[in-house]
Amino acid sequence: MGIDYTATDILKNVRETKQPWELAKYFDGAAPIFGFKSITDYQDLADINFNLKINGKEKQKSNTAFMIHDFADIIVFIYEYMTLQPGDLIFTGTPALGKGEIFKGDQLQCSINGELLLDFKMI
């Protein structure tokens, strides 16, 4: 479980100036994650519920069944173009209606199948 932040103000600027988008994606704190869990912890990878709450209000809620590509297909596709190593992270995108603004002091909580895995305050 992890969050893949985008600095949208920087993204807007780099799009306009035709600079690399990485400037809006790769910055300190851009991807807070929970430690790894084994896939054996899940009975069906195509049926995992997950959600994100900000200040106690649910902002994202979905299920892996709604993914366009399953995990195996994503890994195979990426592996065709780059080397993957144990511990590499693959962020698969934002659920429909999932993006929103985060502000200093916001409390974020992420769960998988009802288990709270991330719980932190934005600094």
Side-chain angles (χ1 to χ4, degrees), residues 60-123:
Q60 294 180 358
K61 180 179 181 180
S62 196
N63 184 289
T64 55
F66 296 110
M67 292 175 62
I68 297 168
H69 302 285
D70 66 29
F71 293 117
D73 289 342
I74 292 168
I75 292 167
V76 167
F77 178 82
I78 292 171
Y79 193 73
E80 288 179 20
Y81 297 96
M82 63 186 71
T83 303
L84 290 171
Q85 299 289 331
D88 283 349
L89 302 175
I90 301 170
F91 287 95
T92 57
T94 303
L97 305 175
K99 68 181 192 173
E101 291 186 297
I102 306 294
F103 300 97
K104 184 177 180 178
D106 284 348
Q107 185 73 32
L108 286 83
Q109 297 175 308
C110 302
S111 300
I112 293 180
N113 289 339
E115 180 184 4
L116 182 63
L117 298 179
L118 276 175
D119 187 3
F120 65 95
K121 187 172 279 195
M122 181 58 72
I123 55 171

Side-chain angles (χ1 to χ4, degrees), residues 24-38:
K25 298 295 290 179
Y26 305 125
F27 51 89
D28 291 346
I33 63 165
F34 172 80
F36 292 92
K37 291 189 74 147
S38 172

